[in-house]
Amino acid sequence: MAGAITEDKQIYLSAEMTSRLAAIDIGSNSVRLLVAEALRGGAYRILDEEREPTRLGRSVSSQGRLDDESMDKTLQALRTFKEIAAGYQVTSLRTIATCAVREARNGPEFCRRVREEIGLEVEVIAGDREARLAFASVQNAFDLSGKNVVVADIGGGSTEVVFATGNLIESIFSTPLGAVRLTEQFGLGENATLADFERMEEEVTACLKKRTTRPLFAPHFLVGCGGTFTTLAELIMATKKQSDAPVAGYQVSQAEVRHLLDRLRKMPLRARRGMAGMTPDRADIIVAGLTIIDALMKRFRVNTLVIHTRGVRDGLVREMIDEVLGGPHDEAADRSEEHTSELQ
């Protein structure tokens, strides 16, 4: 692969506006809001983005339930996000929940509380649907023509993987590999040892071998969606003093991933929190997340990672726009609006 990859963070304006939409994603690590203004040709302009780390999935793997504290924090975040969306006078708001809520025994109870206390209907989506939304976002950010790609969306509780040839999905895999889940499962707190990290690495490798196949094609690159990937890019960019470079479309080699992973495993948690480029509330789960990335690149024999700064919420908003416009939008017009990146 040659040449720099760029991806526009902002969706370009159009003179003809249709409506304002909002998408809320209830994840295992954080709750996120995207407020957008739909434009001609299926493009949109971002009006607001919010994130609140609530760690909703932190006790699901050990207790099988969402704990009271994280549920309360998530409900408060949803209340705030609904108010923000109302302030923008959105005409449509959809709320989805992923791994933590779909796996927890009290997931239905949580959804009932959201409906009764906040007035939001939560759609709990399967891993397959999560993967398709992430892939739809990647399709709109990059020109995949003639490319064999692996797309991975790493969350707090699961990792979804898509194999695609151009714009055609070949396979989808959903795995129980999440940064929050693994951190809890292997006790990766202040007192974590090298043996704990090694046990986790073995588990991740074994899980991918069991839950995925290798692609029939040789992947040109891996496209990564989710906070683990953006944090990885920001950490490497800070090390290289490239803080002015765009995160979207940033390329990382497998050797760089491994080098950073080995470095972070040797650092105490408090030192990780102070690193340039580190999101403080992600410092405790970043080693688990990077372990997943490293294992994905080894498993699928791909040396180049491309960072995608959007994902499931972007895919959901585009789906909502299609519904507002009465059908699938014109991809050519959409790419013209957004200056889709060339992947070389």
Side-chain angles (χ1 to χ4, degrees):
M1 182 186 294
I5 296 174
T6 61
E7 175 193 359
D8 293 335
K9 289 184 178 179
Q10 289 292 339
I11 309 302
Y12 285 135
L13 285 170
S14 170
E16 297 181 18
M17 301 175 184
T18 54
S19 60
R20 290 181 173 186
L21 314 166
I24 297 175
D25 176 11
I26 304 173
S28 300
N29 183 51
S30 59
V31 186
R32 295 175 182 263
L33 167 72
L34 174 60
V35 182
E37 193 163 58
L39 306 172
R40 181 181 57 190
Y44 67 83
R45 179 170 68 103
I46 297 169
L47 299 178
D48 198 356
E49 289 188 281
E50 303 287 342
R51 172 182 180 269
E52 187 64 37
T54 64
R55 288 289 166 90
L56 186 62
R58 66 183 174 190
S59 63
V60 173
S61 62
S62 60
Q63 301 175 25
R65 297 175 53 83
L66 305 172
D67 68 71
D68 291 339
E69 181 184 354
S70 62
M71 280 197 293
D72 288 342
K73 288 177 68 175
T74 301
L75 286 164
Q76 181 55 51
L78 292 173
R79 186 175 290 108
T80 300
F81 288 177
K82 183 184 178 184
E83 291 172 355
I84 291 171
Y88 282 100
Q89 299 179 309
V90 301
T91 56
S92 179
L93 190 162
R94 285 177 62 182
T95 304
I96 60 172
T98 53
C99 183
V101 179
R102 71 174 173 250
E103 287 189 10
R105 291 196 303 272
N106 59 341
E109 176 191 338
F110 169 77
C111 292
R112 178 189 57 77
R113 286 189 63 188
V114 175
R115 181 173 60 253
E116 294 178 354
E117 298 178 28
I118 313 298
L120 294 174
E121 288 290 340
V122 178
E123 176 190 356
V124 182
I125 65 173
D128 180 271
R129 174 139 163 71
E130 196 174 348
R132 290 180 184 278
L133 287 172
F135 183 72
S137 177
V138 170
Q139 279 182 297
N140 280 281
F142 302 110
D143 181 0
L144 301 181
S145 302
K147 305 296 181 184
N148 298 325
V149 299
V150 178
V151 175
D153 181 26
I154 297 179
S158 66
T159 293
E160 277 63 49
V161 179
V162 177
F163 295 166
T165 301
N167 290 298
L168 178 65
I169 292 177
E170 301 284 354
S171 305
I172 293 176
F173 306 95
S174 185
T175 74
L177 298 174
V180 174
R181 185 198 298 268
L182 291 172
T183 298
E184 180 187 60
Q185 183 179 347
F186 291 93
L188 306 182
E190 285 282 7
N191 299 317
T193 65
L194 184 59
D196 294 326
F197 292 127
E198 290 174 345
R199 285 192 301 111
M200 175 182 62
E201 189 169 3
E202 290 171 2
E203 171 63 23
V204 171
T205 299
C207 181
L208 285 178
K209 185 176 181 180
K210 178 181 179 181
R211 300 271 187 152
T212 70
T213 62
R214 284 202 166 105
L216 297 176
F217 52 77
H220 289 89
F221 44 81
L222 168 71
V223 180
C225 311
T228 294
F229 289 104
T230 54
T231 300
L232 162 66
E234 287 162 355
L235 289 169
I236 291 178
M237 288 163 62
T239 300
K240 293 182 173 182
K241 302 191 185 306
Q242 297 175 328
S243 57
D244 292 335
V247 175
Y250 191 77
Q251 295 183 52
V252 181
S253 70
Q254 198 273 329
E256 287 177 313
V257 173
R258 187 69 220 184
H259 178 75
L260 180 61
L261 176 57
D262 289 340
R263 178 185 167 201
L264 293 182
R265 293 202 315 181
K266 297 171 185 175
M267 295 175 64
L269 178 55
R270 61 184 178 277
R272 271 185 251 145
R273 285 200 178 98
M275 290 179 66
M278 180 69 77
T279 303
D281 63 70
R282 196 172 289 278
D284 61 331
I285 61 173
I286 190 62
V287 173
L290 293 185
T291 299
I292 298 170
I293 296 175
D294 184 55
L296 287 169
M297 297 183 81
K298 288 178 179 175
R299 171 67 174 161
F300 304 131
R301 297 170 180 167
V302 55
N303 187 54
T304 302
L305 165 65
V306 179
I307 308 299
H308 180 44
T309 55
R310 305 236 160 264
V312 173
R313 286 171 311 291
D314 174 56
L316 181 59
V317 165
R318 292 182 182 282
E319 185 177 274
M320 294 168 72
I321 291 173
D322 288 347
E323 293 168 357
V324 167
L325 298 180
H329 59 264
D330 183 340
E331 267 189 41
D334 195 16
R335 288 203 169 106
S336 175
E337 289 282 354
E338 297 181 31
H339 290 196
T340 302
S341 301
E342 293 285 340
L343 289 171
Q344 301 177 349

